[in-house]
Amino acid sequence: MIRDATPDDVPVLHAMIRELAAYEKEPEQARATEEQLREALFGERPAVFAHVAEADGEPVGFALWFLDFSTWRGVHGIYLEDLYVRPHARGGGHGRALLTELARICVARGYERLEWAVLNWNAPSIGFYESLGARPQDEWTTYRLTDGALAALGGTGAGSAD
């Protein structure tokens, strides 16, 4: 079963985000707190959204996403920030069900893209995504500013360039 996340889901979402970070070999990067997650999802102006996959009433996975916008197409799309299914529930169709729900939202709202990133070494996920018809956008390279580099460019001068 796929359902919208509720404020009561914040602790389990937070735990699964940390599990995902460990799976992606960067547990120290998962610094968001439950309070930050609660505010982002359920505060006065939510900017991110989440769905929960359940099996027998137990949360076993989630999708966390936000709206993006294509200047070329002139419409919003969904950017999937995180998709995670706990190891014991993998292969049970939960990841597919979560992506199906996001695709359904796109179609219903007239969004023309559902996009996400996957680590190059994550062969099981890449195979899964390609089995759904998703194709890599390998002509683009993702860039990111964080920490010291972001602070330096943003004018605070704190930290060093990463």
Side-chain angles (χ1 to χ4, degrees):
M1 178 181 97
I2 305 302
R3 62 174 176 76
D4 292 344
T6 69
D8 289 341
D9 292 314
V10 169
V12 74
L13 289 170
H14 185 257
M16 286 192 283
I17 289 168
R18 297 186 62 76
E19 291 169 26
L20 174 60
Y23 174 76
E24 292 183 350
K25 303 174 184 160
E26 294 199 67
E28 69 283 351
Q29 295 301 316
R31 299 184 298 215
T33 66
E34 286 186 23
E35 293 76 23
Q36 288 172 313
L37 190 57
R38 185 179 315 281
E39 180 63 27
L41 288 165
F42 304 108
E44 188 176 315
R45 290 188 313 236
V48 297
F49 309 92
H51 287 81
V52 174
E54 286 187 340
D56 300 320
E58 173 197 356
V60 295
F62 77 98
L64 192 136
W65 57 277
F66 55 88
L67 293 179
D68 61 8
F69 184 80
S70 170
T71 56
W72 289 15
R73 299 218 175 184
V75 296
H76 284 290
I78 286 177
Y79 188 85
L80 175 60
E81 178 66 23
D82 286 330
L83 177 70
Y84 179 72
V85 175
R86 287 182 157 159
H88 73 276
R90 291 183 188 151
H94 306 292
R96 182 183 184 91
L98 286 162
L99 284 171
T100 297
E101 177 61 12
L102 296 186
R104 186 199 63 73
I105 291 168
C106 285
V107 170
R109 297 181 186 176
Y111 303 160
E112 295 188 14
R113 292 181 178 167
L114 171 54
E115 296 181 307
W116 63 90
V118 61
L119 290 164
N120 292 334
W121 57 260
N122 193 344
S125 293
I126 291 168
F128 166 64
Y129 297 144
E130 289 182 353
S131 78
L132 299 175
R135 295 294 170 252
Q137 301 296 298
D138 55 9
E139 61 274 353
W140 296 87
T141 300
T142 302
Y143 282 82
R144 177 179 296 157
L145 282 170
T146 61
D147 303 325
L150 180 62
L153 185 62
T156 65
S160 61
D162 291 338

